[in-house]
Amino acid sequence: ELFAFVKKAVEFFRAECPYAICDGLFRVDVFMNDYKELVVNEFESFEAGYYGKFESELAVTHFLKEYWTDKLMDVDQIRDLIGASAEKSIEENRVEKRTKTESCNQNFY
């Protein structure tokens, strides 16, 4: 029951916050009230706090560094693709305009 509730809460969060980064690196804090109802206390970033044995802290820190480096590289690659696509589109428009102008000039003379 608890996991079904959390799954539904995560689906709701994703639907209501479409621009949030939610690819599994957050946790859902849940409590039960006096009426035996499950209630979401908060959605919290996995990075908000992780403490334990020194080795596990190092492992988590290493994982997070690699994770965010990969995400930022993906963003750079997407930006580059968008930029390349925009440059290609601009060049295609220039060629099209030049072709139309040349065609109009030939028909004019």
Side-chain angles (χ1 to χ4, degrees):
E1 178 185 356
L2 176 63
F3 288 112
F5 176 80
V6 170
K7 183 178 178 182
K8 188 174 179 179
V10 169
E11 289 170 359
F12 181 80
F13 177 84
R14 287 183 174 168
E16 295 298 315
C17 303
Y19 301 108
I21 298 174
C22 52
D23 48 4
L25 290 178
F26 62 97
R27 65 176 176 244
V28 182
D29 290 343
V30 177
F31 65 88
M32 183 178 285
N33 64 19
D34 289 339
Y35 303 104
K36 306 288 186 203
E37 298 169 323
L38 293 173
V39 178
V40 173
N41 181 46
E42 67 180 333
F43 294 95
E44 190 171 12
S45 167
F46 184 63
E47 298 177 31
Y50 54 91
Y51 303 101
K53 293 182 179 179
F54 182 70
E55 294 83 18
S56 66
E57 288 182 29
L58 286 176
V60 172
T61 300
H62 177 73
F63 168 78
L64 291 172
K65 284 181 182 177
E66 283 191 2
Y67 174 83
W68 285 113
T69 299
D70 290 346
K71 285 293 177 192
L72 292 172
M73 288 175 66
D74 287 348
V75 168
D76 284 344
Q77 290 173 359
I78 291 168
R79 188 188 66 228
D80 291 345
L81 289 172
I82 291 169
S85 177
E87 288 174 13
K88 182 178 177 184
S89 179
I90 290 169
E91 183 57 31
E92 288 172 352
N93 286 338
R94 285 183 187 147
V95 168
E96 184 178 334
K97 286 179 183 177
R98 197 171 32 240
T99 304
K100 285 181 182 178
T101 301
E102 291 169 357
S103 176
C104 286
N105 288 341
Q106 288 175 357
N107 291 336
F108 182 72
Y109 295 109

